[in-house]
Amino acid sequence: MLVSFSFADKLLDEYNNNCRPVSDDFYSDAYRGWFYKEYCENLKKKIEERQKESQIKPKPKKEVPKTDIPKDYSKVTNPDEKVKIIKENLENVDFWQKTKYPWQWLKDDNVLKRIEQKMFKEVVDKAVYYSSLDYTDEEKIGTAVYLVDYSRRNSFNFAKGYTSYILANQQYNIADRVGRGSWSYRSVSSTKDDKVRNYILQRINNIGLIFFGSANCPYCREQVNALRYLRDRLPNIYIRVVVSDASECSYYLSTGVVSDCSSSPLSFQRFNVEILPTIFIYYNKNNQRYLDVLSAGLTDAQSLMYGIMSFVYKIDTGMEFNYAEFY
């Protein structure tokens, strides 16, 4: 009797009921002997085929290709070759755990800048993972930290470049140009912006900005671009630059943006200026001068405009300026 499989139960039942002999001498069975050759043989073949098909074949194990690792990594000096070796050994555990050279290579910017973006993410993941397994190894931990810092530096450089470009090309300032919503929002926003501008212009002769900077400070130079755009909106705004070295005034005066420049190292200490650029604002009202910090760090023209408005409005009214309610 054939052993039953769940998917062939019906065939097996049919075979056992109709094809199994009931006497010792199968071929002398007048009732079923003829049935064997004509039907039962084919039925038996079908059952055997079904049983073979039902057997689950184990999937072959995926083998990680082994890469020939140079015996002496110290002889590899070409950055492109180093990247190639790292790429070939991303899945090689011994490469990360038992060799020191990859950890040294990955602290070289000449190597890192040659790694494609997708591979770089995998490299960082591997470095962080294997350094965490051997966290007492300062070289491995140091490399992981360096890779994270490298990513941050690239992100910062992009942000700096993006901000610098927008400051120099305000027509690409999306928020300033189109607002954040529908045409009606932009229309209302534009009306409010005009009211803010007019409010400041009515008091412009009593308002001044004191810009602490340095000609050697790249962010200060970018700040000049933002101030140029601000001056376009507020033509008569007074802007005085304070530097620590008198020779730096020539640069700022040549920009055509500032009104005056003076050298006063002590002013940096007096006003506790720790970040460049830093801009102070003063407002003369009722024979009294009010002074406060307007910005510390690179700031766009729109933010400066609303900073001026907030400062002046509070002195005028004694209340905080609320843009949403300003009509």
PDB file of all heavy atoms in Angstrom, residues 84-117:
ATOM      1  N   LYS A  84      38.196  50.840  -3.814  1.00  0.00           N
ATOM      2  CA  LYS A  84      37.857  49.581  -4.474  1.00  0.00           C
ATOM      3  C   LYS A  84      37.949  48.413  -3.497  1.00  0.00           C
ATOM      4  O   LYS A  84      37.062  47.545  -3.454  1.00  0.00           O
ATOM      5  CB  LYS A  84      38.788  49.354  -5.660  1.00  0.00           C
ATOM      6  CG  LYS A  84      38.505  48.068  -6.421  1.00  0.00           C
ATOM      7  CD  LYS A  84      39.479  47.897  -7.577  1.00  0.00           C
ATOM      8  CE  LYS A  84      39.222  46.584  -8.304  1.00  0.00           C
ATOM      9  NZ  LYS A  84      40.204  46.382  -9.414  1.00  0.00           N
ATOM     10  N   ILE A  85      39.005  48.384  -2.704  1.00  0.00           N
ATOM     11  CA  ILE A  85      39.186  47.296  -1.731  1.00  0.00           C
ATOM     12  C   ILE A  85      38.090  47.337  -0.671  1.00  0.00           C
ATOM     13  O   ILE A  85      37.538  46.303  -0.281  1.00  0.00           O
ATOM     14  CB  ILE A  85      40.573  47.389  -1.078  1.00  0.00           C
ATOM     15  CG1 ILE A  85      41.664  47.131  -2.123  1.00  0.00           C
ATOM     16  CG2 ILE A  85      40.703  46.390   0.067  1.00  0.00           C
ATOM     17  CD1 ILE A  85      43.069  47.378  -1.623  1.00  0.00           C
ATOM     18  N   ILE A  86      37.758  48.539  -0.195  1.00  0.00           N
ATOM     19  CA  ILE A  86      36.697  48.666   0.806  1.00  0.00           C
ATOM     20  C   ILE A  86      35.373  48.163   0.240  1.00  0.00           C
ATOM     21  O   ILE A  86      34.622  47.447   0.906  1.00  0.00           O
ATOM     22  CB  ILE A  86      36.560  50.138   1.262  1.00  0.00           C
ATOM     23  CG1 ILE A  86      37.809  50.566   2.028  1.00  0.00           C
ATOM     24  CG2 ILE A  86      35.326  50.317   2.140  1.00  0.00           C
ATOM     25  CD1 ILE A  86      37.853  52.052   2.359  1.00  0.00           C
ATOM     26  N   LYS A  87      35.073  48.543  -1.007  1.00  0.00           N
ATOM     27  CA  LYS A  87      33.823  48.139  -1.645  1.00  0.00           C
ATOM     28  C   LYS A  87      33.743  46.621  -1.779  1.00  0.00           C
ATOM     29  O   LYS A  87      32.691  46.016  -1.539  1.00  0.00           O
ATOM     30  CB  LYS A  87      33.699  48.804  -3.009  1.00  0.00           C
ATOM     31  CG  LYS A  87      32.386  48.513  -3.712  1.00  0.00           C
ATOM     32  CD  LYS A  87      32.283  49.303  -5.004  1.00  0.00           C
ATOM     33  CE  LYS A  87      30.928  49.074  -5.673  1.00  0.00           C
ATOM     34  NZ  LYS A  87      30.808  49.866  -6.930  1.00  0.00           N
ATOM     35  N   GLU A  88      34.851  45.989  -2.155  1.00  0.00           N
ATOM     36  CA  GLU A  88      34.870  44.541  -2.342  1.00  0.00           C
ATOM     37  C   GLU A  88      34.746  43.784  -1.023  1.00  0.00           C
ATOM     38  O   GLU A  88      34.374  42.613  -1.012  1.00  0.00           O
ATOM     39  CB  GLU A  88      36.164  44.127  -3.049  1.00  0.00           C
ATOM     40  CG  GLU A  88      36.251  44.592  -4.500  1.00  0.00           C
ATOM     41  CD  GLU A  88      37.610  44.312  -5.114  1.00  0.00           C
ATOM     42  OE1 GLU A  88      38.556  44.028  -4.335  1.00  0.00           O
ATOM     43  OE2 GLU A  88      37.723  44.390  -6.352  1.00  0.00           O
ATOM     44  N   ASN A  89      35.063  44.449   0.080  1.00  0.00           N
ATOM     45  CA  ASN A  89      35.083  43.771   1.378  1.00  0.00           C
ATOM     46  C   ASN A  89      34.032  44.289   2.361  1.00  0.00           C
ATOM     47  O   ASN A  89      34.166  44.092   3.562  1.00  0.00           O
ATOM     48  CB  ASN A  89      36.475  43.930   2.005  1.00  0.00           C
ATOM     49  CG  ASN A  89      37.522  43.090   1.301  1.00  0.00           C
ATOM     50  OD1 ASN A  89      37.651  41.895   1.556  1.00  0.00           O
ATOM     51  ND2 ASN A  89      38.256  43.710   0.398  1.00  0.00           N
ATOM     52  N   LEU A  90      32.981  44.912   1.844  1.00  0.00           N
ATOM     53  CA  LEU A  90      31.951  45.430   2.736  1.00  0.00           C
ATOM     54  C   LEU A  90      31.340  44.330   3.608  1.00  0.00           C
ATOM     55  O   LEU A  90      30.996  44.562   4.766  1.00  0.00           O
ATOM     56  CB  LEU A  90      30.847  46.118   1.920  1.00  0.00           C
ATOM     57  CG  LEU A  90      31.133  47.547   1.458  1.00  0.00           C
ATOM     58  CD1 LEU A  90      30.036  48.036   0.531  1.00  0.00           C
ATOM     59  CD2 LEU A  90      31.267  48.482   2.656  1.00  0.00           C
ATOM     60  N   GLU A  91      31.188  43.120   3.047  1.00  0.00           N
ATOM     61  CA  GLU A  91      30.569  42.020   3.792  1.00  0.00           C
ATOM     62  C   GLU A  91      31.595  41.070   4.416  1.00  0.00           C
ATOM     63  O   GLU A  91      31.222  40.034   4.952  1.00  0.00           O
ATOM     64  CB  GLU A  91      29.644  41.225   2.862  1.00  0.00           C
ATOM     65  CG  GLU A  91      28.548  42.061   2.206  1.00  0.00           C
ATOM     66  CD  GLU A  91      27.652  42.741   3.228  1.00  0.00           C
ATOM     67  OE1 GLU A  91      27.430  42.169   4.307  1.00  0.00           O
ATOM     68  OE2 GLU A  91      27.185  43.863   2.943  1.00  0.00           O
ATOM     69  N   ASN A  92      32.848  41.440   4.348  1.00  0.00           N
ATOM     70  CA  ASN A  92      33.911  40.595   4.894  1.00  0.00           C
ATOM     71  C   ASN A  92      34.163  40.975   6.351  1.00  0.00           C
ATOM     72  O   ASN A  92      34.734  42.028   6.652  1.00  0.00           O
ATOM     73  CB  ASN A  92      35.182  40.773   4.054  1.00  0.00           C
ATOM     74  CG  ASN A  92      36.267  39.774   4.433  1.00  0.00           C
ATOM     75  OD1 ASN A  92      36.331  39.315   5.558  1.00  0.00           O
ATOM     76  ND2 ASN A  92      37.113  39.443   3.467  1.00  0.00           N
ATOM     77  N   VAL A  93      33.719  40.128   7.263  1.00  0.00           N
ATOM     78  CA  VAL A  93      33.816  40.426   8.695  1.00  0.00           C
ATOM     79  C   VAL A  93      35.271  40.600   9.119  1.00  0.00           C
ATOM     80  O   VAL A  93      35.611  41.525   9.882  1.00  0.00           O
ATOM     81  CB  VAL A  93      33.146  39.315   9.523  1.00  0.00           C
ATOM     82  CG1 VAL A  93      33.310  39.592  11.016  1.00  0.00           C
ATOM     83  CG2 VAL A  93      31.672  39.222   9.170  1.00  0.00           C
ATOM     84  N   ASP A  94      36.140  39.712   8.636  1.00  0.00           N
ATOM     85  CA  ASP A  94      37.555  39.791   9.024  1.00  0.00           C
ATOM     86  C   ASP A  94      38.188  41.104   8.570  1.00  0.00           C
ATOM     87  O   ASP A  94      39.091  41.632   9.229  1.00  0.00           O
ATOM     88  CB  ASP A  94      38.334  38.625   8.413  1.00  0.00           C
ATOM     89  CG  ASP A  94      37.981  37.305   9.073  1.00  0.00           C
ATOM     90  OD1 ASP A  94      37.429  37.344  10.193  1.00  0.00           O
ATOM     91  OD2 ASP A  94      38.254  36.252   8.476  1.00  0.00           O
ATOM     92  N   PHE A  95      37.719  41.607   7.462  1.00  0.00           N
ATOM     93  CA  PHE A  95      38.249  42.870   6.939  1.00  0.00           C
ATOM     94  C   PHE A  95      38.044  44.001   7.945  1.00  0.00           C
ATOM     95  O   PHE A  95      38.913  44.839   8.147  1.00  0.00           O
ATOM     96  CB  PHE A  95      37.542  43.188   5.623  1.00  0.00           C
ATOM     97  CG  PHE A  95      37.958  44.483   4.986  1.00  0.00           C
ATOM     98  CD1 PHE A  95      39.152  44.578   4.295  1.00  0.00           C
ATOM     99  CD2 PHE A  95      37.150  45.605   5.060  1.00  0.00           C
ATOM    100  CE1 PHE A  95      39.540  45.765   3.691  1.00  0.00           C
ATOM    101  CE2 PHE A  95      37.522  46.796   4.464  1.00  0.00           C
ATOM    102  CZ  PHE A  95      38.719  46.873   3.778  1.00  0.00           C
ATOM    103  N   TRP A  96      36.893  44.004   8.612  1.00  0.00           N
ATOM    104  CA  TRP A  96      36.570  45.058   9.566  1.00  0.00           C
ATOM    105  C   TRP A  96      37.095  44.777  10.966  1.00  0.00           C
ATOM    106  O   TRP A  96      37.449  45.696  11.698  1.00  0.00           O
ATOM    107  CB  TRP A  96      35.046  45.261   9.629  1.00  0.00           C
ATOM    108  CG  TRP A  96      34.477  45.753   8.349  1.00  0.00           C
ATOM    109  CD1 TRP A  96      33.891  45.020   7.358  1.00  0.00           C
ATOM    110  CD2 TRP A  96      34.464  47.110   7.889  1.00  0.00           C
ATOM    111  NE1 TRP A  96      33.511  45.829   6.311  1.00  0.00           N
ATOM    112  CE2 TRP A  96      33.840  47.119   6.617  1.00  0.00           C
ATOM    113  CE3 TRP A  96      34.907  48.316   8.427  1.00  0.00           C
ATOM    114  CZ2 TRP A  96      33.664  48.289   5.880  1.00  0.00           C
ATOM    115  CZ3 TRP A  96      34.722  49.478   7.694  1.00  0.00           C
ATOM    116  CH2 TRP A  96      34.116  49.457   6.433  1.00  0.00           C
ATOM    117  N   GLN A  97      37.171  43.509  11.318  1.00  0.00           N
ATOM    118  CA  GLN A  97      37.538  43.173  12.695  1.00  0.00           C
ATOM    119  C   GLN A  97      39.025  42.887  12.893  1.00  0.00           C
ATOM    120  O   GLN A  97      39.548  43.080  13.988  1.00  0.00           O
ATOM    121  CB  GLN A  97      36.722  41.965  13.171  1.00  0.00           C
ATOM    122  CG  GLN A  97      35.251  42.263  13.372  1.00  0.00           C
ATOM    123  CD  GLN A  97      34.509  41.113  14.029  1.00  0.00           C
ATOM    124  OE1 GLN A  97      34.881  39.944  13.870  1.00  0.00           O
ATOM    125  NE2 GLN A  97      33.467  41.431  14.776  1.00  0.00           N
ATOM    126  N   LYS A  98      39.695  42.426  11.832  1.00  0.00           N
ATOM    127  CA  LYS A  98      41.059  41.948  12.024  1.00  0.00           C
ATOM    128  C   LYS A  98      42.120  42.746  11.277  1.00  0.00           C
ATOM    129  O   LYS A  98      43.297  42.384  11.308  1.00  0.00           O
ATOM    130  CB  LYS A  98      41.149  40.477  11.618  1.00  0.00           C
ATOM    131  CG  LYS A  98      40.277  39.562  12.481  1.00  0.00           C
ATOM    132  CD  LYS A  98      40.426  38.105  12.071  1.00  0.00           C
ATOM    133  CE  LYS A  98      39.564  37.191  12.933  1.00  0.00           C
ATOM    134  NZ  LYS A  98      39.701  35.777  12.543  1.00  0.00           N
ATOM    135  N   THR A  99      41.720  43.774  10.562  1.00  0.00           N
ATOM    136  CA  THR A  99      42.712  44.607   9.883  1.00  0.00           C
ATOM    137  C   THR A  99      42.578  46.045  10.363  1.00  0.00           C
ATOM    138  O   THR A  99      41.481  46.496  10.714  1.00  0.00           O
ATOM    139  CB  THR A  99      42.527  44.566   8.348  1.00  0.00           C
ATOM    140  OG1 THR A  99      41.255  45.101   8.004  1.00  0.00           O
ATOM    141  CG2 THR A  99      42.638  43.153   7.828  1.00  0.00           C
ATOM    142  N   LYS A 100      43.670  46.748  10.366  1.00  0.00           N
ATOM    143  CA  LYS A 100      43.667  48.126  10.876  1.00  0.00           C
ATOM    144  C   LYS A 100      43.641  49.173   9.773  1.00  0.00           C
ATOM    145  O   LYS A 100      43.244  50.312  10.000  1.00  0.00           O
ATOM    146  CB  LYS A 100      44.895  48.361  11.751  1.00  0.00           C
ATOM    147  CG  LYS A 100      46.218  48.264  10.998  1.00  0.00           C
ATOM    148  CD  LYS A 100      47.398  48.540  11.921  1.00  0.00           C
ATOM    149  CE  LYS A 100      48.715  48.473  11.156  1.00  0.00           C
ATOM    150  NZ  LYS A 100      49.883  48.758  12.030  1.00  0.00           N
ATOM    151  N   TYR A 101      44.051  48.783   8.575  1.00  0.00           N
ATOM    152  CA  TYR A 101      44.218  49.782   7.521  1.00  0.00           C
ATOM    153  C   TYR A 101      42.914  50.447   7.064  1.00  0.00           C
ATOM    154  O   TYR A 101      42.899  51.655   6.836  1.00  0.00           O
ATOM    155  CB  TYR A 101      44.947  49.172   6.324  1.00  0.00           C
ATOM    156  CG  TYR A 101      46.367  48.797   6.667  1.00  0.00           C
ATOM    157  CD1 TYR A 101      46.713  47.479   6.909  1.00  0.00           C
ATOM    158  CD2 TYR A 101      47.349  49.770   6.776  1.00  0.00           C
ATOM    159  CE1 TYR A 101      48.010  47.132   7.246  1.00  0.00           C
ATOM    160  CE2 TYR A 101      48.645  49.436   7.112  1.00  0.00           C
ATOM    161  CZ  TYR A 101      48.981  48.108   7.350  1.00  0.00           C
ATOM    162  OH  TYR A 101      50.254  47.781   7.689  1.00  0.00           O
ATOM    163  N   PRO A 102      41.814  49.699   6.912  1.00  0.00           N
ATOM    164  CA  PRO A 102      40.569  50.378   6.513  1.00  0.00           C
ATOM    165  C   PRO A 102      40.173  51.482   7.478  1.00  0.00           C
ATOM    166  O   PRO A 102      39.635  52.509   7.058  1.00  0.00           O
ATOM    167  CB  PRO A 102      39.543  49.240   6.509  1.00  0.00           C
ATOM    168  CG  PRO A 102      40.349  48.012   6.293  1.00  0.00           C
ATOM    169  CD  PRO A 102      41.639  48.246   7.001  1.00  0.00           C
ATOM    170  N   TRP A 103      40.439  51.294   8.747  1.00  0.00           N
ATOM    171  CA  TRP A 103      40.092  52.300   9.748  1.00  0.00           C
ATOM    172  C   TRP A 103      40.958  53.552   9.575  1.00  0.00           C
ATOM    173  O   TRP A 103      40.519  54.664   9.873  1.00  0.00           O
ATOM    174  CB  TRP A 103      40.238  51.724  11.152  1.00  0.00           C
ATOM    175  CG  TRP A 103      39.344  50.542  11.369  1.00  0.00           C
ATOM    176  CD1 TRP A 103      39.670  49.220  11.267  1.00  0.00           C
ATOM    177  CD2 TRP A 103      37.950  50.587  11.692  1.00  0.00           C
ATOM    178  NE1 TRP A 103      38.581  48.441  11.508  1.00  0.00           N
ATOM    179  CE2 TRP A 103      37.500  49.246  11.777  1.00  0.00           C
ATOM    180  CE3 TRP A 103      37.036  51.614  11.923  1.00  0.00           C
ATOM    181  CZ2 TRP A 103      36.182  48.922  12.086  1.00  0.00           C
ATOM    182  CZ3 TRP A 103      35.730  51.291  12.227  1.00  0.00           C
ATOM    183  CH2 TRP A 103      35.314  49.960  12.305  1.00  0.00           C
ATOM    184  N   GLN A 104      42.166  53.343   9.082  1.00  0.00           N
ATOM    185  CA  GLN A 104      43.040  54.485   8.810  1.00  0.00           C
ATOM    186  C   GLN A 104      42.626  55.181   7.513  1.00  0.00           C
ATOM    187  O   GLN A 104      42.620  56.411   7.437  1.00  0.00           O
ATOM    188  CB  GLN A 104      44.496  54.018   8.726  1.00  0.00           C
ATOM    189  CG  GLN A 104      45.035  53.436  10.029  1.00  0.00           C
ATOM    190  CD  GLN A 104      46.430  52.845   9.870  1.00  0.00           C
ATOM    191  OE1 GLN A 104      46.913  52.673   8.752  1.00  0.00           O
ATOM    192  NE2 GLN A 104      47.073  52.515  10.984  1.00  0.00           N
ATOM    193  N   TRP A 105      42.272  54.381   6.517  1.00  0.00           N
ATOM    194  CA  TRP A 105      41.890  54.960   5.230  1.00  0.00           C
ATOM    195  C   TRP A 105      40.657  55.839   5.354  1.00  0.00           C
ATOM    196  O   TRP A 105      40.553  56.882   4.700  1.00  0.00           O
ATOM    197  CB  TRP A 105      41.592  53.849   4.217  1.00  0.00           C
ATOM    198  CG  TRP A 105      42.764  52.987   3.881  1.00  0.00           C
ATOM    199  CD1 TRP A 105      44.084  53.233   4.145  1.00  0.00           C
ATOM    200  CD2 TRP A 105      42.732  51.726   3.211  1.00  0.00           C
ATOM    201  NE1 TRP A 105      44.869  52.206   3.684  1.00  0.00           N
ATOM    202  CE2 TRP A 105      44.064  51.267   3.100  1.00  0.00           C
ATOM    203  CE3 TRP A 105      41.720  50.936   2.692  1.00  0.00           C
ATOM    204  CZ2 TRP A 105      44.391  50.054   2.499  1.00  0.00           C
ATOM    205  CZ3 TRP A 105      42.033  49.741   2.081  1.00  0.00           C
ATOM    206  CH2 TRP A 105      43.368  49.306   1.992  1.00  0.00           C
ATOM    207  N   LEU A 106      39.709  55.432   6.176  1.00  0.00           N
ATOM    208  CA  LEU A 106      38.429  56.136   6.264  1.00  0.00           C
ATOM    209  C   LEU A 106      38.525  57.441   7.048  1.00  0.00           C
ATOM    210  O   LEU A 106      37.508  58.122   7.243  1.00  0.00           O
ATOM    211  CB  LEU A 106      37.372  55.221   6.885  1.00  0.00           C
ATOM    212  CG  LEU A 106      36.963  54.026   6.001  1.00  0.00           C
ATOM    213  CD1 LEU A 106      36.046  53.087   6.761  1.00  0.00           C
ATOM    214  CD2 LEU A 106      36.306  54.502   4.715  1.00  0.00           C
ATOM    215  N   LYS A 107      39.711  57.795   7.490  1.00  0.00           N
ATOM    216  CA  LYS A 107      39.908  59.102   8.113  1.00  0.00           C
ATOM    217  C   LYS A 107      40.657  60.039   7.163  1.00  0.00           C
ATOM    218  O   LYS A 107      41.209  61.051   7.580  1.00  0.00           O
ATOM    219  CB  LYS A 107      40.682  58.954   9.437  1.00  0.00           C
ATOM    220  CG  LYS A 107      39.826  58.412  10.568  1.00  0.00           C
ATOM    221  CD  LYS A 107      40.488  58.541  11.919  1.00  0.00           C
ATOM    222  CE  LYS A 107      41.586  57.535  12.107  1.00  0.00           C
ATOM    223  NZ  LYS A 107      42.102  57.534  13.503  1.00  0.00           N
ATOM    224  N   ASP A 108      40.631  59.678   5.888  1.00  0.00           N
ATOM    225  CA  ASP A 108      41.292  60.474   4.856  1.00  0.00           C
ATOM    226  C   ASP A 108      40.222  61.039   3.919  1.00  0.00           C
ATOM    227  O   ASP A 108      39.511  60.284   3.241  1.00  0.00           O
ATOM    228  CB  ASP A 108      42.274  59.589   4.076  1.00  0.00           C
ATOM    229  CG  ASP A 108      43.055  60.369   3.025  1.00  0.00           C
ATOM    230  OD1 ASP A 108      42.741  61.561   2.806  1.00  0.00           O
ATOM    231  OD2 ASP A 108      43.963  59.778   2.414  1.00  0.00           O
ATOM    232  N   ASP A 109      40.096  62.360   3.868  1.00  0.00           N
ATOM    233  CA  ASP A 109      39.070  62.979   3.021  1.00  0.00           C
ATOM    234  C   ASP A 109      39.283  62.663   1.548  1.00  0.00           C
ATOM    235  O   ASP A 109      38.323  62.622   0.768  1.00  0.00           O
ATOM    236  CB  ASP A 109      39.058  64.504   3.219  1.00  0.00           C
ATOM    237  CG  ASP A 109      38.390  64.901   4.526  1.00  0.00           C
ATOM    238  OD1 ASP A 109      38.094  63.999   5.336  1.00  0.00           O
ATOM    239  OD2 ASP A 109      38.172  66.114   4.749  1.00  0.00           O
ATOM    240  N   ASN A 110      40.526  62.422   1.131  1.00  0.00           N
ATOM    241  CA  ASN A 110      40.798  62.080  -0.259  1.00  0.00           C
ATOM    242  C   ASN A 110      40.198  60.733  -0.627  1.00  0.00           C
ATOM    243  O   ASN A 110      39.891  60.478  -1.796  1.00  0.00           O
ATOM    244  CB  ASN A 110      42.307  62.052  -0.520  1.00  0.00           C
ATOM    245  CG  ASN A 110      42.916  63.441  -0.564  1.00  0.00           C
ATOM    246  OD1 ASN A 110      42.267  64.381  -1.015  1.00  0.00           O
ATOM    247  ND2 ASN A 110      44.137  63.572  -0.079  1.00  0.00           N
ATOM    248  N   VAL A 111      40.044  59.871   0.356  1.00  0.00           N
ATOM    249  CA  VAL A 111      39.384  58.582   0.141  1.00  0.00           C
ATOM    250  C   VAL A 111      37.876  58.760   0.201  1.00  0.00           C
ATOM    251  O   VAL A 111      37.134  58.278  -0.667  1.00  0.00           O
ATOM    252  CB  VAL A 111      39.848  57.549   1.188  1.00  0.00           C
ATOM    253  CG1 VAL A 111      39.026  56.261   1.082  1.00  0.00           C
ATOM    254  CG2 VAL A 111      41.328  57.228   1.018  1.00  0.00           C
ATOM    255  N   LEU A 112      37.408  59.466   1.207  1.00  0.00           N
ATOM    256  CA  LEU A 112      35.965  59.607   1.427  1.00  0.00           C
ATOM    257  C   LEU A 112      35.266  60.292   0.252  1.00  0.00           C
ATOM    258  O   LEU A 112      34.157  59.908  -0.123  1.00  0.00           O
ATOM    259  CB  LEU A 112      35.712  60.386   2.716  1.00  0.00           C
ATOM    260  CG  LEU A 112      36.196  59.713   4.008  1.00  0.00           C
ATOM    261  CD1 LEU A 112      35.886  60.605   5.207  1.00  0.00           C
ATOM    262  CD2 LEU A 112      35.556  58.344   4.181  1.00  0.00           C
ATOM    263  N   LYS A 113      35.898  61.294  -0.318  1.00  0.00           N
ATOM    264  CA  LYS A 113      35.234  62.027  -1.399  1.00  0.00           C
ATOM    265  C   LYS A 113      35.136  61.211  -2.678  1.00  0.00           C
ATOM    266  O   LYS A 113      34.427  61.610  -3.619  1.00  0.00           O
ATOM    267  CB  LYS A 113      35.947  63.348  -1.670  1.00  0.00           C
ATOM    268  CG  LYS A 113      37.331  63.217  -2.257  1.00  0.00           C
ATOM    269  CD  LYS A 113      37.971  64.597  -2.419  1.00  0.00           C
ATOM    270  CE  LYS A 113      39.356  64.520  -3.039  1.00  0.00           C
ATOM    271  NZ  LYS A 113      39.979  65.858  -3.149  1.00  0.00           N
ATOM    272  N   ARG A 114      35.804  60.061  -2.733  1.00  0.00           N
ATOM    273  CA  ARG A 114      35.733  59.181  -3.897  1.00  0.00           C
ATOM    274  C   ARG A 114      34.686  58.090  -3.740  1.00  0.00           C
ATOM    275  O   ARG A 114      34.454  57.301  -4.657  1.00  0.00           O
ATOM    276  CB  ARG A 114      37.110  58.553  -4.156  1.00  0.00           C
ATOM    277  CG  ARG A 114      38.123  59.516  -4.729  1.00  0.00           C
ATOM    278  CD  ARG A 114      39.508  58.882  -4.776  1.00  0.00           C
ATOM    279  NE  ARG A 114      40.429  59.651  -5.604  1.00  0.00           N
ATOM    280  CZ  ARG A 114      41.056  60.753  -5.224  1.00  0.00           C
ATOM    281  NH1 ARG A 114      40.853  61.233  -3.994  1.00  0.00           N
ATOM    282  NH2 ARG A 114      41.867  61.387  -6.046  1.00  0.00           N
ATOM    283  N   ILE A 115      34.073  58.022  -2.562  1.00  0.00           N
ATOM    284  CA  ILE A 115      33.068  56.985  -2.301  1.00  0.00           C
ATOM    285  C   ILE A 115      31.709  57.494  -2.748  1.00  0.00           C
ATOM    286  O   ILE A 115      31.290  58.584  -2.367  1.00  0.00           O
ATOM    287  CB  ILE A 115      33.026  56.632  -0.802  1.00  0.00           C
ATOM    288  CG1 ILE A 115      34.388  56.079  -0.345  1.00  0.00           C
ATOM    289  CG2 ILE A 115      31.936  55.612  -0.522  1.00  0.00           C
ATOM    290  CD1 ILE A 115      34.454  55.764   1.134  1.00  0.00           C
ATOM    291  N   GLU A 116      31.016  56.704  -3.557  1.00  0.00           N
ATOM    292  CA  GLU A 116      29.693  57.104  -4.027  1.00  0.00           C
ATOM    293  C   GLU A 116      28.701  57.136  -2.865  1.00  0.00           C
ATOM    294  O   GLU A 116      28.902  56.472  -1.837  1.00  0.00           O
ATOM    295  CB  GLU A 116      29.200  56.158  -5.117  1.00  0.00           C
ATOM    296  CG  GLU A 116      29.071  54.721  -4.648  1.00  0.00           C
ATOM    297  CD  GLU A 116      28.679  53.775  -5.768  1.00  0.00           C
ATOM    298  OE1 GLU A 116      28.738  54.179  -6.944  1.00  0.00           O
ATOM    299  OE2 GLU A 116      28.318  52.630  -5.442  1.00  0.00           O
ATOM    300  N   GLN A 117      27.635  57.900  -3.051  1.00  0.00           N
ATOM    301  CA  GLN A 117      26.704  58.184  -1.953  1.00  0.00           C
ATOM    302  C   GLN A 117      26.115  56.914  -1.333  1.00  0.00           C
ATOM    303  O   GLN A 117      26.067  56.775  -0.112  1.00  0.00           O
ATOM    304  CB  GLN A 117      25.588  59.105  -2.464  1.00  0.00           C
ATOM    305  CG  GLN A 117      24.627  59.587  -1.386  1.00  0.00           C
ATOM    306  CD  GLN A 117      23.425  58.681  -1.208  1.00  0.00           C
ATOM    307  OE1 GLN A 117      23.070  57.929  -2.119  1.00  0.00           O
ATOM    308  NE2 GLN A 117      22.817  58.741  -0.047  1.00  0.00           N
TER     309      GLN A 117
END
